Amino acid sequence: MNKGKAKQDFDNRQNSDVPSCDTHLVHLDNVRSTQTQILATSKAQQIAEVFAILADPNRLRLLSALANQELCVCDLAALTKMTESAVCHQLRLFKAMRLVNYRREGKNVYYSVADSHIINLYRSVEEHLDENNISTNFVTQRV
């Protein structure tokens, strides 16, 4: 399939799925009242970076484990059936974004979720999926 045809097919699917305005009339009162509430670009970038870190199934599984209790790397590796090296790599990313805290106890390092905001975010999305019976098939079909 050529690129032009693929783009046209993509545009047609998008246009048929989402209703849009028939007229292109800007409602200035709505724009002005919302202007002060829209995210600043820098803040939007920071939020996007957090969501990018969370946009990985393995990292979400680690987060789900840590949402319940503090765990060491060995425990996390056993729970997720990942290697300790892979777990450390993912935790390093979490740590860089300040999403997890850690503490040393002898030779072991224990990790926990940095604060309740991260747990609440994770649980809110999980609850949303459960309430709306959204299946994982929907996500793979749409992408």
Side-chain angles (χ1 to χ4, degrees), residues 72-119:
C72 72
V73 173
C74 302
D75 296 339
L76 288 166
L79 278 167
T80 58
K81 296 182 177 31
M82 296 169 62
T83 66
E84 289 182 27
S85 175
V87 168
C88 286
H89 174 73
Q90 302 303 334
L91 290 170
R92 204 173 304 122
L93 295 173
F94 278 150
K95 204 168 84 173
M97 294 298 296
R98 296 186 297 264
L99 300 179
V100 297
N101 293 325
Y102 69 95
R103 69 175 180 84
R104 289 192 178 278
E105 187 175 291
K107 293 185 177 187
N108 290 329
V109 178
Y110 291 89
Y111 286 86
S112 60
V113 177
D115 62 44
S116 62
H117 296 107
I118 303 304
I119 295 171

Side-chain angles (χ1 to χ4, degrees), residues 21-28:
C21 297
D22 293 330
T23 62
H24 299 285
L25 173 67
V26 175
H27 300 89
L28 290 177

